Amino acid sequence: MDNCIFCKIIKGEIPSKKFYEDDLMIIIADVNPRAKKHYLAIPKKHYKYFSEMTVGDAANLAKCISKIAELAPSLGLENGYRVIVNQGDDAVQTVPHLHIHLLGGQKLGIGGFTVDE
Ligand code: AMP
Ligand code: ZN
């Protein structure tokens, strides 16, 4: 996608603090961290929603999740972490390229991101 910020990061057109890369995904620091450790695991293929995934995309996402679990200790998430995937307007998804938030490095509150009344 031409105008997608995460596609541009994946292509190296926008700088990022990259912690991991393979043929399926990158893991970068979130530029606006909501926890002491806040990473974004971004599959390289551009799609916005789980509902857009092909069977192959889902299989690749499963591989990404396994890799995240393997890498977690080296990312400072050895004591646990929260996984968030925002989907659509009610979740306030701001970047239309599926990504997995990984939050940790501290004791997190019981909620996820902010919940407005
Ligand atoms: P979401 O609201 O789930 O779509 O999350 C998008 C996330 O991308 C937010 O947490 C932003 O802080 C983060 N973000 C936006 N632009 C960048 C960037 N250039 N580098 C790293 N993180 C970014
Ligand atoms: Zn994209």
Side-chain angles (χ1 to χ4, degrees):
M1 275 282 285
D2 288 348
N3 248 345
C4 172
I5 192 166
F6 287 172
C7 283
K8 287 182 177 167
I9 286 173
I10 288 161
K11 285 189 248 168
E13 294 171 6
I14 292 178
S16 66
K17 190 167 182 200
K18 201 186 297 175
F19 288 86
Y20 178 76
E21 176 166 17
D22 63 20
D23 54 334
L24 293 178
M25 74 165 167
I26 59 170
I27 299 179
I28 64 170
D30 195 297
V31 80
N32 177 26
R34 263 77 109 220
K36 280 194 180 149
K37 305 276 183 189
H38 186 173
Y39 304 97
L40 301 172
I42 310 173
K44 286 189 171 175
K45 183 171 172 192
H46 179 97
Y47 56 92
K48 182 175 181 182
Y49 294 126
F50 288 137
S51 58
E52 296 173 350
M53 291 193 306
T54 64
V55 171
D57 293 335
N60 285 340
L61 190 63
K63 287 183 194 165
C64 293
I65 290 167
S66 291
K67 182 54 76 174
I68 288 166
E70 184 188 319
L71 293 172
S74 67
L75 294 170
L77 302 174
E78 66 281 351
N79 209 34
Y81 54 100
R82 182 165 294 154
V83 177
I84 293 176
V85 181
N86 291 321
Q87 293 281 271
D89 289 344
D90 277 3
V92 198
Q93 181 179 4
T94 58
V95 179
H97 180 134
L98 191 123
H99 53 282
I100 303 169
H101 294 264
L102 306 171
L103 298 126
Q106 65 178 96
K107 199 78 170 173
L108 299 168
I110 197 169
F113 281 3
T114 310
V115 178
D116 294 327
E117 292 305 317

